Amino acid sequence: MSAVGTLVVTDLDGTLLDHHTYQYDAAQAALALCRQRRIPLIFNTSKTLAESQALASALSLHWPMVVENGSAIHLPEPLEGEPRAVILGQPRQQLVAWLQRERQRAGFSVQGFSDWSVAELAAHTGLSLAQAELAQQREYSEPLLWQDTEHAFLTFQASARAQGFTLLKGGRFFHLLGQTDKGRATTWLRQHYHTRSGQPVQIIALGDGHNDSAMLAAADVAVQIRSPVHPFPPKPAAKRVIQTELCGPAGWAQALLSLLDPQPAAAH
Ligand SMILES: [Mg+2]
């Protein structure tokens, strides 16, 4: 596959980052190949901007980033006339206010990040305190730990929908957000790069969870990353679908190397 006009759009947790350790060492060879070919490597994550920027900075990446499950697209180096950020989601205060009203009204047993201290968030996620601090800096979504029955969840979900909100299932949490998802953001990115270059754009998207399905469906090549904790979600309706043998960052690297560099010189 030619690297010209190719975008790599990727989930982070459980995909580029190991589900348990949040490490990405196993992905180094593919990261290096993307860097060498100057292929845009675009995060599309439920993480916050602060968390995504910390990782991008560690990897010396300066590409656009989609954060909070398609709620906002940040363009670090906009051309003249382009915005710095495109907001597709809803402000978090509105989501949290609705959540509090729903709990009072129906007595749902559900907790959100806004109910927790940084230390509690670290304990729930396995993040360090410094990382949990960045994870708390949410602007457009509220991750939820559902502790009620399945039946109550369906009622809660219907109520969220009636309010114009979306509930997505992520790796560890449900995510309450506006009417957006990673797929809408991926379609926006395709149009953005097409307008910039005047060329057709080919998108390789990689993800491990249910909240990645819309992103994978919006791609030309959908890579489902094997998870150590759950089976593959249903196959997306993309032109080409690959399911990795290896989990997390090792599977991420294996798929990208075979797609971008069919005869890798650095095979080992
Ligand atoms: Mg994931």
Side-chain angles (χ1 to χ4, degrees):
M1 179 183 297
S2 160
V4 176
T6 296
L7 305 182
V8 173
V9 180
T10 186
D11 172 48
L12 294 179
D13 290 341
T15 297
L16 175 56
L17 305 180
D18 183 272
H19 176 82
H20 298 291
T21 66
Y22 298 103
Q23 298 298 309
Y24 53 82
D25 307 17
Q28 291 291 4
L31 286 167
L33 183 65
C34 290
R35 192 173 296 125
Q36 184 198 331
R37 301 252 191 105
R38 297 178 185 277
I39 297 170
L41 175 54
I42 300 174
F43 298 165
N44 195 349
T45 175
S46 48
K47 286 183 178 296
T48 63
L49 178 62
E51 291 175 286
S52 305
Q53 280 175 331
L55 182 62
S57 154
L59 292 172
S60 301
L61 296 175
H62 305 281
W63 303 112
M65 282 183 282
V66 181
V67 300
E68 300 193 48
N69 276 307
S71 294
I73 303 161
H74 291 269
L75 305 172
E77 294 169 348
L79 300 179
E80 204 182 323
E82 292 178 353
R84 282 209 148 266
V86 175
I87 310 304
L88 302 176
Q90 299 245 15
R92 185 190 190 191
Q93 307 89 280
Q94 289 181 12
L95 303 165
V96 171
W98 174 82
L99 174 67
Q100 287 168 350
R101 284 200 305 275
E102 274 303 282
R103 268 197 303 220
Q104 275 184 351
R105 185 184 67 78
F108 294 126
S109 182
V110 54
Q111 294 191 341
F113 276 21
S114 56
D115 297 310
W116 297 336
S117 66
V118 168
E120 286 169 326
L121 178 55
H124 278 289
T125 54
L127 295 170
S128 69
L129 284 176
Q131 289 169 329
E133 175 94 50
L134 301 181
Q136 273 291 24
Q137 295 175 28
R138 311 198 77 84
E139 296 176 283
Y140 305 105
S141 63
E142 179 69 354
L144 303 175
L145 189 59
W146 187 254
Q147 296 165 315
D148 214 318
T149 63
E150 187 118 334
H151 179 74
F153 181 78
L154 295 177
T155 311
F156 179 72
Q157 189 174 40
S159 184
R161 228 177 260 151
Q163 191 68 27
F165 298 152
T166 307
L167 259 182
L168 292 174
K169 184 170 169 32
R172 284 180 170 76
F173 301 100
F174 285 95
H175 298 268
L176 179 65
L177 66 163
Q179 272 180 347
T180 189
D181 57 34
K182 293 183 176 189
R184 273 192 68 190
T186 303
T187 300
W188 189 95
L189 287 166
R190 183 191 291 281
Q191 189 57 47
H192 173 73
Y193 275 91
H194 176 63
T195 303
R196 266 191 173 191
S197 67
Q199 303 289 326
V201 172
Q202 168 130 275
I203 295 181
I204 302 172
L206 307 96
D208 70 315
H210 284 270
N211 60 331
D212 297 314
S213 296
M215 169 181 77
L216 296 181
D220 300 286
V221 181
V223 181
Q224 289 190 299
I225 302 291
R226 189 176 293 275
S227 166
V229 292
H230 60 73
F232 286 117
K235 273 199 179 184
K239 286 179 207 155
R240 184 173 169 199
V241 181
I242 294 168
Q243 294 185 326
T244 65
E245 286 299 318
L246 303 174
C247 292
W252 190 92
Q254 189 183 38
L256 273 185
L257 289 174
S258 71
L259 286 166
L260 298 173
D261 199 10
Q263 292 124 10
H268 40 227

